[in-house]
Amino acid sequence: MTQYVMTKDVSAELRRRLKAKFPQAKFSVRTGTGTGSAWISVSWTDGPDVEAVNLIAAPLHGAHWDGHTETYVQTGNEVTVTVGGKKVTGQPLVDGINTHRDFSEDVLAEAKALWSGAFDGADPDTVVGMQGTAVIDGKCLPDTWAPNQVRFIAREVVAPKRWSAAQNTAAKAPATAAKPRRKTSAKTDPAAGIEVSYTAEAGVTVTGTTFGDGAAPVLRTHGFDWSRKAAHWYVKGHQGDEPGGALIAAHTAVQALHTAGISVAAELPELPADTILPTVQASVPAGSVGDDDDVPEGFAGIVLRHTRAGGTLAEGTARGDGSAEILKGRRFRWSRNLGCWYLPHSRDRAADRFTIKALAEALREAGHAVHVTVREDVARSFGEAEADREQRAGDRAERFSARADRAAGASRAALAEARSIGSAIPFGQPVLVGHHSEKRHRAALNRIDSKMRRGVDEGNRAEHWASRADAAAHYEQHRKDPARTLRRLKELEATLRGLEKLIAGESAFGSSWDVTKPENVAELTRRHTETAEEITHWRELITKAEADGFKLWSRADFTKGDYACSRGRWYEVLRVNGASVTVPGGPDIQEVINRNTRAYSWDDRIPYADVTGRMSAEEMAARLAPKS
């Protein structure tokens, strides 16, 4: 069976080969869309010539266009690429690779100067008509227009010289070490350990932490942020402020670090004697190294760590060690805050052992030492997780709103500049070809086009971030909506019943568990406890909503012939059920739908969670009666 390689994977391989062959040049490699999805476009400025780039691209062609038969002919080429951390060899699904080389303003300026010297000081931008030939640096110019001759000089004379000089300079330059991915925490004496201190100018700061020492998740839990510029941890928003709140966070963090088994020295002002610090739980967030962690002492490889509180993390990687592609292929992402890779949506859930096992095997095949540790007992309560999600939604709303404001400001500025440039050109004024104003006029038109495009793009970007900010701002409102909560409770109660069946050795959810294994019983019990805790949380929310005036409808509120309101429309109740009311079916195109106005013969059901009002048959008749 023929193995094929997708166009996007071939694009990545072409980009890698170009970077390896021409490290001094910057290439743009783009995969086409729609009908051009099997084509790749490569563009660059100055650098190597087109022939050199085509030599790199030629082995990646999967087909070429035959003008005689007007069909694509397969080349038979095979390419080996890395997909998801694994090597894949096959025929590239690429019908063609377009290459385009541009020239910088410096190269064109030098080419114009050479052209002007060969034609008695003439200006190539103003000369009219075709020009005769000339010899420049051993190259004979073709008989054509001056702009074409300038580009010929740039392509054949100026750009090759500059490219050759750049290669020679790069060959003589000493190799430089790769920059570290991030700074270590600032400290003059690494042996002194972690220090927590307070000054009026900087507030509370933590220095001496190192990558993977377990302090980062503890500090983040207690409100600390990492400063890349200063290379230390700090309490955000408390610089130069009253020390009360920051000091409480600092003392609590010191207590939590000690609880996590991390050595720390504190130089903090004393708190008032009656100050009560928040209780620090013995179980620490995932990612921190505690006494019960089974990572061998002195282990220098990659640690795949999962806890319910912190999710699945990959710690101990380094830039350039080859682990990034493997992790990306297993859906991992890099977190600048955590300083490690993480598996999205893995917090507050059981470990995805299949993904963790496959990742560990792939990393070991690539030559990495890997240790896997799974701690399902390190967890946080559902209330804590929900509060954290709401806090993060609020932070997202602020962040996205700021991005929307910046984009809107950039859009207004770009459009205003475009209008300003256009106001200097008389309305309807054409470009006077050959006139001394032609060059300025065309440049102005190009600037107007560029600014208008930027204004539109920034405006679209502002709308995008504004919509995301609005969604984040309403996260808590949607999450705590009573109607949605009732539907969620119904699903959770069904899940709880299924877990009870599994614990009893019965089948549920289309499968069964072997309850003779202690680890299965422990996991099912853990899930049952978590589900019950979540149900309790949402029931308390419904109780609070009822106290605030929310009506929880049930079958006791309706009789046949009443009207139920749902999503702004009134439906006649044909039958009252345990969990819903049966109403006439059909499209909701009128305000009141009953036996007389129904569009179709079938019936629909409206769950009580979706009901927002009730009206008796007499009240509806009075409402529909014609007014005199």
Side-chain angles (χ1 to χ4, degrees):
M1 181 178 178
T2 305
Q3 178 76 26
Y4 293 99
V5 180
M6 299 298 293
T7 309
K8 63 177 183 178
D9 298 321
V10 178
S11 295
E13 176 63 17
L14 176 57
R15 188 180 297 108
R16 185 193 66 78
R17 294 188 182 187
L18 290 172
K19 185 176 181 180
K21 181 65 176 179
F22 310 114
Q24 295 81 28
K26 185 176 182 180
F27 294 89
S28 172
V29 182
R30 295 288 182 267
T31 304
T33 59
T35 57
S37 59
W39 282 77
I40 299 175
S41 299
V42 182
S43 59
W44 70 101
T45 301
D46 300 341
D49 56 31
V50 174
E51 290 74 13
V53 175
N54 285 338
L55 287 176
I56 303 297
L60 303 181
H61 281 264
H64 67 85
W65 178 256
D66 189 340
H68 293 286
T69 60
E70 295 187 349
T71 58
Y72 283 102
V73 179
Q74 299 299 316
T75 61
N77 291 337
E78 285 194 348
V79 60
T80 301
V81 301
T82 301
V83 180
K86 295 183 178 180
K87 297 290 185 181
V88 178
T89 301
Q91 296 182 9
L93 290 175
V94 178
D95 291 340
I97 301 177
N98 293 322
T99 54
H100 177 72
R101 183 192 192 191
D102 287 322
F103 298 104
S104 62
E105 292 295 333
D106 292 341
V107 170
L108 292 176
E110 184 176 346
K112 289 178 182 180
L114 293 174
W115 186 95
S116 181
F119 288 93
D120 300 326
D123 186 355
D125 292 330
T126 59
V127 69
V128 180
M130 295 183 63
Q131 305 301 308
T133 186
V135 178
I136 297 179
D137 202 14
K139 300 291 183 179
C140 185
L141 299 183
D143 294 333
T144 182
W145 286 273
N148 294 343
Q149 290 179 331
V150 169
R151 291 192 65 86
F152 179 87
I153 297 171
R155 182 178 68 251
E156 301 295 335
V157 178
V158 181
K161 285 185 177 180
R162 295 197 174 201
W163 176 241
S164 178
Q167 288 182 305
N168 292 335
T169 302
K172 296 177 182 178
T176 57
K179 294 182 178 180
R181 167 154 282 186
R182 73 173 202 178
K183 297 179 180 179
T184 57
S185 182
K187 176 170 286 296
T188 56
D189 182 9
I194 299 176
E195 293 184 1
V196 183
S197 59
Y198 170 81
T199 62
E201 297 77 15
V204 177
T205 59
V206 180
T207 59
T209 60
T210 58
F211 178 73
D213 62 0
V218 178
L219 292 171
R220 277 190 296 272
T221 302
H222 292 85
F224 283 77
D225 285 333
W226 173 260
S227 170
R228 298 180 64 189
K229 183 177 180 181
H232 65 221
W233 294 89
Y234 71 102
V235 180
K236 188 175 182 180
H238 287 277
Q239 293 84 350
D241 200 356
E242 292 294 329
L247 286 181
I248 292 176
H251 282 277
T252 307
V254 170
Q255 179 180 334
L257 289 169
H258 282 304
T259 303
I262 301 173
S263 177
V264 57
E267 297 180 3
L268 300 171
E270 294 293 333
L271 292 172
D274 57 347
T275 302
I276 301 176
L277 295 179
T279 303
V280 179
Q281 298 181 357
S283 60
V284 296
S288 59
V289 182
D291 296 335
D292 296 332
D293 202 336
D294 60 353
V295 179
E297 185 176 356
F299 181 75
I302 297 176
V303 177
L304 302 182
R305 189 192 315 274
H306 175 84
T307 63
R308 267 173 151 79
T312 304
L313 308 178
E315 303 171 341
T317 60
R319 174 171 291 184
D321 64 358
S323 61
E325 291 299 327
I326 300 175
L327 288 161
K328 289 179 182 177
R330 297 300 189 282
R331 299 182 291 111
F332 276 72
R333 297 179 183 175
W334 174 260
S335 170
R336 295 174 63 185
N337 289 333
L338 296 174
C340 65
W341 295 86
Y342 73 99
L343 182 63
H345 312 298
S346 61
R347 296 187 74 183
D348 306 308
R349 297 183 180 182
D352 185 351
R353 296 179 183 270
F354 178 82
T355 297
I356 295 174
K357 180 180 178 181
L359 174 60
E361 292 175 353
L363 289 171
R364 291 188 181 110
E365 289 177 1
H368 297 280
V370 181
H371 182 85
V372 179
T373 174
V374 177
R375 292 280 306 277
E376 298 287 7
D377 59 316
V378 180
R380 56 182 180 172
S381 67
F382 181 80
E384 292 173 340
E386 192 68 13
D388 178 61
R389 285 188 283 267
E390 293 172 3
Q391 177 62 39
R392 291 170 61 189
D395 294 341
R396 287 198 304 274
E398 294 181 4
R399 187 166 64 252
F400 295 161
S401 179
R403 293 179 185 178
D405 292 341
R406 289 196 298 269
S411 175
R412 291 191 297 268
L415 294 176
E417 189 171 353
R419 288 191 293 268
S420 176
I421 298 171
S423 64
I425 302 175
F427 182 74
Q429 174 67 51
V431 178
L432 302 177
V433 178
H435 192 263
H436 66 82
S437 64
E438 178 186 1
K439 182 178 178 180
R440 293 193 305 273
H441 196 159
R442 293 189 185 278
L445 294 179
N446 290 335
R447 290 171 60 200
I448 292 173
D449 179 74
S450 175
K451 296 299 180 182
M452 290 292 290
R453 290 179 184 275
R454 176 173 173 78
V456 172
D457 291 343
E458 292 293 342
N460 293 337
R461 188 174 293 110
E463 292 181 2
H464 166 76
W465 289 118
S467 63
R468 293 199 61 181
D470 182 69
H474 290 84
Y475 171 84
E476 183 177 358
Q477 175 184 344
H478 289 294
R479 185 75 170 165
K480 294 183 176 180
D481 178 72
R484 291 183 175 88
T485 302
L486 289 172
R487 291 193 292 270
R488 190 181 301 117
L489 274 171
K490 185 177 180 180
E491 296 175 358
L492 289 171
E493 289 167 353
T495 301
L496 191 68
R497 292 191 297 270
L499 289 171
E500 291 172 351
K501 288 183 178 180
L502 291 175
I503 294 174
E506 303 174 10
S507 62
F509 312 120
S511 63
S512 59
W513 287 48
D514 185 0
V515 293
T516 61
K517 296 182 178 180
E519 60 271 19
N520 287 350
V521 176
E523 177 60 27
L524 289 172
T525 304
R526 191 178 295 112
R527 294 186 184 184
H528 185 276
T529 302
E530 292 172 347
T531 305
E533 181 185 3
E534 186 174 355
I535 289 175
T536 302
H537 175 88
W538 294 121
R539 282 177 176 170
E540 291 176 354
L541 189 147
I542 290 296
T543 302
K544 183 178 182 301
E546 287 184 297
D548 294 338
F550 172 73
K551 170 62 178 176
L552 183 60
W553 299 96
S554 67
R555 66 182 308 168
D557 298 307
F558 292 93
T559 59
K560 183 178 178 180
D562 288 345
Y563 282 79
C565 183
S566 178
R567 296 179 173 86
R569 288 180 171 79
W570 290 90
Y571 299 84
E572 182 182 2
V573 177
L574 304 180
R575 185 168 58 254
V576 180
N577 312 304
S580 64
V581 289
T582 302
V583 299
D588 301 335
I589 57 176
Q590 56 269 350
E591 183 181 358
V592 179
I593 303 172
N594 53 34
R595 293 183 178 89
N596 299 325
T597 60
R598 64 189 303 166
Y600 298 113
S601 59
W602 63 75
D603 296 335
D604 287 334
R605 289 191 178 187
I606 300 178
Y608 291 119
D610 292 339
V611 175
T612 57
R614 174 195 170 276
M615 190 179 296
S616 66
E618 293 75 15
E619 291 172 332
M620 180 58 69
R623 175 178 176 178
L624 297 178
K627 296 180 180 180
S628 58

